[in-house]
Amino acid sequence: MPRAILHRLLSTLCALALCLPMASAGARVLSAKIARVSTPVATLQGVEVRLDWPARAAGGELQLRASRVEAPDLGYRFRDLRWRCPLSRDAQGGWRCDGVLQAPGAAPMRLSLSLATASTDAALSRGPARFALHRSAATPDDTELVLTRVPLAWAQALASQAWAAGQFKRGTLDGRLTVRVPAKGPLRVDGRLALADGALETPDASIAADKLDGVFRIDYRKPGKATLLSVDGELRGGELLFGSTYIALADAAGRQPPARLRIDALQRPGEGWRLPAFEWHDGGVLQASGSAALTREATLDRLDLDLRSDDLAPLGERYLSGTLGVAGLAGLRMRGALEAKLAIAGGSLSRVDARLHEVSLEEANKRFAFEGLDGDLRYSDGAAVDSALRWRSAALDRVALGAATLPWRSAGGELRARETVAIPVLDGSMRIDGLTLRPPAAGHGMQLQFGLELDGLDIGKLSTSLGGPAFRGTLSGRIPLARYAEERIDFDGGLSMQAFGGTIAVSALSMERPFGVAPTLSADLGLQGLDLLSITEVFDFGSISGRLEGRVDNLRLVDWTPTAFDAELHTVARRGVRQRLSQRAVQNISSVGDASIVTSLQGRLIGLFDDFGYRRIGLSCRLENEICLMGGLHSAGAGFTIVEGAGIPRLNVVGFNRRVDWPTLVERVAAVGKGEVKPVFE
């Protein structure tokens, strides 16, 4: 076998080795009884060649073995590669050989080789996957590669040179590449590839992709010890996950326009990747461009980003569902448009300059909504910048808020309201002072603090907005300082409210996950001088006149449902205040408290009276594990007194069941409120 033919054969096998990841496909590159063979892109060691060509035979059998094949620039390393094929001449004086290529622990592949006088062609295949190579004497520095349904895993070693953590799981490649290895100059791989049904992930699953379809122009170079990569193309479908950021792209059927992508990347030894420029165009939904730098650990170090969305409606579902889900805002509906510029330095947010145009936000469970959000929002971790954000209308838990403006000043990494913010609400006003917001930074979540004053809120409108009865009166109060951090709000100084002609003092008030899943509220309440008539008259409960005081300690609400508290309520005598309760009120107290009526007169005479005087009313409940341990004014044998009568007829209401199922008690109260419990006197 001529030495020139052998050299071409070895060079061809080297080209196949460096361009095709046979480690996963099961192939190795071989040559003949040579300690070492070097080419511009690969080195073969321990090469053995055996050619059996019987005398006067038209062909022979070629056996090649290489103990080691390495292409360090492309990341490929193979061991104990073997190929056996029948070798013959063609009609033009060239050579042909077609046989099985094998390597330990891998499925066999078929390698077909044709060595013509001025060209070399080879094809490596397994099933429907085919990887073809062409080299011409006219362009000795170039190797043309044609991929047909090639598994994405065959490119693992090459991709690992640029991204060591990325692991291909599924997908196929079609396209054409040129590998250029000039005698003096860097290695270069460029061409066009089409990806179908691609899937990848990192070992920690922080980055993942699935069902990727797209077409890309690739330009990969190795000048010196640096690595340059340019990708320009479009993604036609798939899903991407970056930490908590989940992106759902247009599908392959083309029901939405594909997203165009361009990335220029550079990596030097010992450094992370730098992206001098990148662009992303997803129609009017999202357009982004900028530059970035990653650390050696592939975390974000620096980012300069320009964003624009002409239609926010699909943005949440396609780009923000993961982030919103973590924040407890899954299903947030958005409309409007925005432009924004932001910068990250040292892994922390450095600057934001956003402009909103008629933006509307509505939380899926109607916990909040904003209409007509407009204006600008600027943030700076350095010198002061001013901005103003306003809305036309808003709602918190279905409580309507009027138009308002938030005048911001940002400096040193925080946003601070330049003045007290007044918001019309329920025929009164809500004033927020000292409003300060610090975005997430240095491993800490968002921090917020403010003072709150309520003045003249219509209690009836507040109650009906929340699905309750139409009480009368107004609500006023003040929270000196509230702090939000690590998904928890703590209220310093508590809240003092004037309502129902008395005072409700709220202390030890805190909330966990106020904007997340299953928000939890904890508080202690103190009641003083509340007008019972203004509370009971709006229910179909019956009227009770008098003044109510008491406490509710260790109150805990989970998703706004009581799960624990220790409550004690009682009436207090006040000069000039009548203490009377109606027949319906007596019956309903008995029903709710699982109590009995005890009177000094015969029971059949009670029906002759419209109402009754009382000396005291008292009821307590300690809720634990859905059981309410009930009590009253004092014990009366096996029971406890709820109503202590006065006058004629003297009527007492005594409860006997101290352990009441809480859901059952709630059902009773709801039935009373709807008028489903009717008084019956005999």
Side-chain angles (χ1 to χ4, degrees):
M1 185 176 184
R3 186 178 183 86
I5 294 295
L6 178 60
H7 187 270
R8 288 175 59 195
L9 175 63
L10 295 176
S11 298
T12 300
L13 293 176
C14 287
L16 282 170
L18 69 92
C19 296
L20 191 65
M22 300 183 223
S24 59
R28 292 292 187 272
V29 179
L30 311 175
S31 197
K33 278 284 183 180
I34 302 172
R36 183 183 180 91
V37 177
S38 296
T39 73
V41 293
T43 300
L44 294 80
Q45 298 181 22
V47 180
E48 299 178 7
V49 177
R50 177 182 176 130
L51 175 61
D52 292 330
W53 193 299
R56 294 183 297 277
E61 184 182 71
L62 175 66
Q63 296 182 46
L64 296 176
R65 177 184 177 185
S67 62
R68 180 177 297 180
V69 180
E70 295 184 348
D73 284 344
L74 298 178
Y76 295 115
R77 291 172 175 82
F78 310 113
R79 299 290 183 272
D80 197 18
L81 195 63
R82 299 171 184 244
W83 181 42
R84 174 181 292 184
C85 64
L87 181 65
S88 62
R89 287 184 176 275
D90 60 21
Q92 289 76 36
W95 297 83
R96 289 186 177 180
C97 209
D98 188 340
V100 176
L101 188 65
Q102 293 181 311
M109 304 182 73
R110 190 156 202 90
L111 173 61
S112 174
L113 182 64
S114 176
L115 303 177
T117 56
S119 64
T120 300
D121 289 279
L124 193 63
S125 60
R126 187 172 65 195
R130 187 172 187 273
F131 186 93
L133 173 152
H134 173 78
R135 300 189 68 179
S136 172
T139 55
D141 294 340
D142 295 352
T143 300
E144 301 294 330
L145 307 175
V146 179
L147 292 77
T148 305
R149 299 187 65 182
V150 171
L152 186 60
W154 290 13
Q156 182 67 66
L158 178 59
S160 294
Q161 292 292 96
W163 184 26
Q167 298 178 0
F168 295 138
K169 300 297 182 181
R170 191 182 65 251
T172 59
L173 293 170
D174 291 85
R176 185 182 297 270
L177 296 173
T178 299
V179 179
R180 182 166 293 116
V181 190
K184 294 183 179 181
L187 166 72
R188 181 177 181 181
V189 181
D190 72 306
R192 180 181 178 276
L193 291 176
L195 171 64
D197 195 28
L200 62 89
E201 68 178 14
T202 57
D204 62 0
S206 61
I207 299 177
D210 194 23
K211 302 176 184 177
L212 294 179
D213 289 280
V215 179
F216 310 96
R217 184 77 188 182
I218 308 293
D219 190 348
Y220 174 84
R221 309 184 194 189
K222 292 283 290 186
K225 295 183 178 181
T227 301
L228 296 174
L229 176 64
S230 178
V231 178
D232 191 354
E234 60 183 34
L235 278 169
R236 297 172 177 171
E239 302 167 278
L240 297 169
L241 178 68
F242 300 93
S244 62
T245 301
Y246 171 74
I247 301 174
L249 301 171
D251 56 26
R255 286 189 287 266
Q256 294 178 0
R260 294 201 58 83
L261 169 69
R262 183 178 72 84
I263 298 176
D264 294 328
L266 165 67
Q267 186 182 42
R268 292 190 174 92
E271 299 179 359
W273 280 95
R274 290 196 298 112
L275 280 61
F278 63 83
E279 294 181 6
W280 176 268
H281 293 274
D282 186 6
V285 178
L286 181 64
Q287 301 173 32
S289 62
S291 62
L294 306 179
T295 66
R296 294 178 60 182
E297 293 75 27
T299 59
L300 185 62
D301 179 57
R302 180 185 57 78
L303 174 67
D304 288 289
L305 182 63
D306 287 1
L307 297 172
R308 178 189 176 102
S309 177
D310 298 325
D311 183 8
L312 291 176
L315 189 69
E317 180 179 355
R318 296 186 66 177
Y319 291 93
L320 301 176
S321 60
T323 303
L324 294 174
V326 170
L329 299 176
L332 179 70
R333 290 182 284 272
M334 301 185 293
R335 298 189 306 275
L338 69 81
E339 303 109 29
K341 298 177 182 290
L342 65 88
I344 291 175
S348 298
L349 187 64
S350 173
R351 174 176 51 84
V352 174
D353 189 349
R355 176 73 184 182
L356 285 70
H357 304 278
E358 282 295 312
V359 172
S360 297
L361 305 174
E362 184 179 359
E363 198 269 334
N365 296 317
K366 299 188 181 301
R367 288 179 294 177
F368 66 83
F370 292 90
E371 289 288 338
L373 270 170
D374 209 90
D376 56 350
L377 179 64
R378 296 188 178 95
Y379 166 85
S380 169
D381 64 354
V385 292
D386 289 349
S387 58
L389 194 63
R390 53 191 170 272
W391 64 75
R392 188 167 52 250
S393 63
L396 293 177
D397 253 339
R398 296 179 292 275
V399 176
L401 306 178
T405 299
L406 296 176
W408 293 108
R409 173 164 293 163
S410 179
E414 70 177 19
L415 281 162
R416 184 183 296 272
R418 286 177 279 154
E419 57 190 52
T420 298
V421 178
I423 305 173
V425 54
L426 301 174
D427 295 339
S429 68
M430 176 169 61
R431 296 172 61 84
I432 304 173
D433 55 63
L435 177 60
T436 304
L437 185 149
R438 184 173 288 274
H444 298 287
M446 184 182 74
Q447 300 177 35
L448 176 70
Q449 72 175 37
F450 58 89
L452 179 66
E453 183 176 355
L454 307 175
D455 183 24
L457 274 62
D458 188 309
I459 291 180
K461 291 185 177 180
L462 174 62
S463 180
T464 55
S465 296
L466 299 177
F471 292 110
R472 288 188 302 156
T474 59
L475 172 65
S476 299
R478 177 167 176 76
I479 298 176
L481 182 63
R483 292 187 178 92
Y484 171 80
E486 307 300 334
E487 294 192 82
R488 177 185 173 94
I489 298 180
D490 290 293
F491 299 85
D492 293 354
L495 171 65
S496 178
M497 299 184 294
Q498 285 70 53
F500 304 115
T503 301
I504 301 175
V506 185
S507 59
L509 179 60
S510 66
M511 288 189 68
E512 299 175 27
R513 301 176 303 280
F515 309 112
V517 177
T520 300
L521 181 144
S522 300
D524 293 334
L525 279 68
L527 285 63
Q528 282 190 321
L530 272 61
D531 181 5
L532 267 172
L533 186 60
S534 65
I535 297 174
T536 58
E537 67 181 353
V538 297
F539 296 103
D540 193 10
F541 186 87
S543 64
I544 305 176
S545 62
R547 293 288 176 170
L548 180 69
E549 295 189 353
R551 57 176 181 77
V552 181
D553 294 334
N554 303 317
L555 172 64
R556 185 172 178 83
L557 306 179
V558 178
D559 206 10
W560 309 114
T561 299
T563 59
F565 59 77
D566 186 359
E568 185 277 322
L569 305 174
H570 61 272
T571 59
V572 292
R574 292 283 180 87
R575 184 181 298 275
V577 177
R578 300 179 71 235
Q579 296 191 149
R580 308 286 295 179
L581 69 166
S582 66
Q583 285 186 9
R584 180 176 295 278
V586 172
Q587 181 71 16
N588 287 332
I589 290 174
S590 302
S591 173
V592 171
D594 201 12
S596 299
I597 301 171
V598 180
T599 178
S600 59
L601 298 179
Q602 294 181 358
R604 64 177 179 273
L605 297 178
I606 298 176
L608 301 177
F609 296 87
D610 293 328
D611 59 13
F612 307 89
Y614 69 87
R615 183 170 178 267
R616 290 188 301 167
I617 299 176
L619 187 65
S620 65
C621 169
R622 186 172 67 203
L623 175 63
E624 290 181 358
N625 301 320
E626 294 194 337
I627 296 296
C628 184
L629 184 61
M630 301 191 71
L633 294 168
H634 51 75
S635 296
F640 53 93
T641 300
I642 300 174
V643 178
E644 187 178 280
I648 297 176
R650 186 181 299 274
L651 179 146
N652 296 331
V653 178
V654 179
F656 293 96
N657 186 3
R658 291 184 178 272
R659 295 176 59 85
V660 178
D661 179 73
W662 175 253
T664 300
L665 183 60
V666 172
E667 288 180 5
R668 291 177 184 170
V669 173
V672 166
K674 295 176 182 177
E676 296 173 359
V677 177
K678 302 300 182 183
V680 176
F681 295 100
E682 298 179 355

